[in-house]
Amino acid sequence: MHVYGLAHVAAAGAAADTGNQSNGAEPAACRAIICTHGRQSKWSDYDLHPMLLHRLPSLRFLHPTHVQTLALDRMLDGQPTALTAETGSGKTLAYLVPLLHRLLSLPSPPPTAPSSTMGKQLPKAIVLVPNHLLIRQTAGTLALLAGNAAHVLTHPSDINNQSPPASPHAPLPSVLITTPAALTNHLHTSLPAFMSESGIQTLVLDEADLLLSGSYLAPTQAILRAVPRRAPNRPLLVLAAATLPPARSSKWPLALAQRAIPDLAVIRSSGSHAAPSTLDERFEYLTSTDDAHESGGTGGRGEALSARADKVLDILTDEQNDLRAAIVFTNLAKDVDPLAHYLRQRIDKEAGAWAQVYPMTSLPADSRDQLFTALRRQRNDMKPAVLVATDALARGIDLPSVNLVVHHTFPTDAVAYLHRVGRTARLGKPGVSVALVGAKDVALARGLELGSMGIEPSQDRILDPWPSSTRVTLVTIAVLYLTQVILAPPVQAAQVWQPEAIQSKAIAGVSGARAGAVAWNQRGAVVAGGKLGKARRV
């Protein structure tokens, strides 16, 4: 069930690598590995450190997932790798296992040897993530996997605050998990010296497409420029993302990565850029009355935010019997608290207080961590949890209890949609996504719905957002429209022309044509065009 506009990125990547390198679409040094099938393997098939071979099965990681199988060989060999795979497929463990193997395989320094000129043990690996939620989650996973074999730092300032070793033994190797801005702001001009002095073994960019765009780009590029380029000081470089499309311009995330890492190889799983195969995707198209969305607080009066809130409540109630946890996504942070307050009031008053509602933007950090811990342990003694959040919760967060995602307001592009629905149906478990679609969202929603039904665009839809077939389609629609307007008899005032009726005449032979175009922009995001006849090139 591929997401429309993302459906054939893997296949398009293959075409780009085999056919487009000659015309400069991708650097010749970049090798793409399009993997459709992964061999079944065991951890013992890899030359891993004995501690990892012991701890992985004990933590119920019984065998590598498909994605981990694809990536382990390259990463264990120290070859720079960009890994793009579907959400919930095990990308985090795919880079943490090689990271820890390389760390544990380092020769131990003598207990009396100075750790650095800074007087502290410098990290031997760095994992860059976009926000504090992912810092805490990744740090927890690493600590669980490493046990007492490594020290996990979650801010650059922790380097200078490490406690001295409690024994005469050599200090533990440390791993720094932080954001690009935190690292560059802390080190400033000493960043190159830090990267050289610390002897970094592994550098990971998790959610790489986000870190290589927007406000994250400048600090991420500064870190990449400071990385030693020559062996034996060059670290293993890993990029991990659920959405990393082939580069179409020099400003796309993958192109930026390839320029910084010329020998980067791209590994794409067969399910990359697609919604989970076990996801039940539903789209509910709203009437004009239902679509009246007015943001605002409810105070203590309990007045409805909009008819959308009632629709969300209906969805939650319908799924009540099977619900373990749900995430309700809304686009604006200012809507989170009022929406959560309204849902809580209605559930407590009318539905027997069968669920607990949490506004994620105002929930204290300690309470949020306790909630996440409970959801990860999938406790049976707690009420179903309803988390109301923005897209800040859509990236990388792993909460196994979540089996329902509701889109209170529709995502702005297909990338955001893919990350939202990726919070459920993870690692082969079932999940449900229900999206409320307003009038301005119809173009993108229809395309996504086609993708959920297996109706996919051709490969050149990705390689060229406006291929010739689409241009011909738009011309045909325009001609049909003009023909109808000019030649058709006068219509009654009550009659309304429906663009869908015209479109249906022109859709034959054009897979995935629809009102409004979905196309990649120069940053690699997917945006929706306007109504039929107003679609624009991005």
Side-chain angles (χ1 to χ4, degrees), residues 138-161:
T138 308
T141 304
L142 180 59
L144 186 68
L145 185 59
N148 296 323
H151 191 192
V152 181
L153 312 175
T154 57
H155 192 275
S157 61
D158 294 341
I159 297 170
N160 295 326
N161 297 327

Side-chain angles (χ1 to χ4, degrees), residues 3-6 243 411-419 444 448 518 525-527:
V3 171
Y4 193 95
L6 299 175
T243 47
T412 55
D413 54 56
V415 172
Y417 175 84
L418 186 64
H419 284 282
L444 179 58
L448 292 166
V518 177
V526 176
V527 297

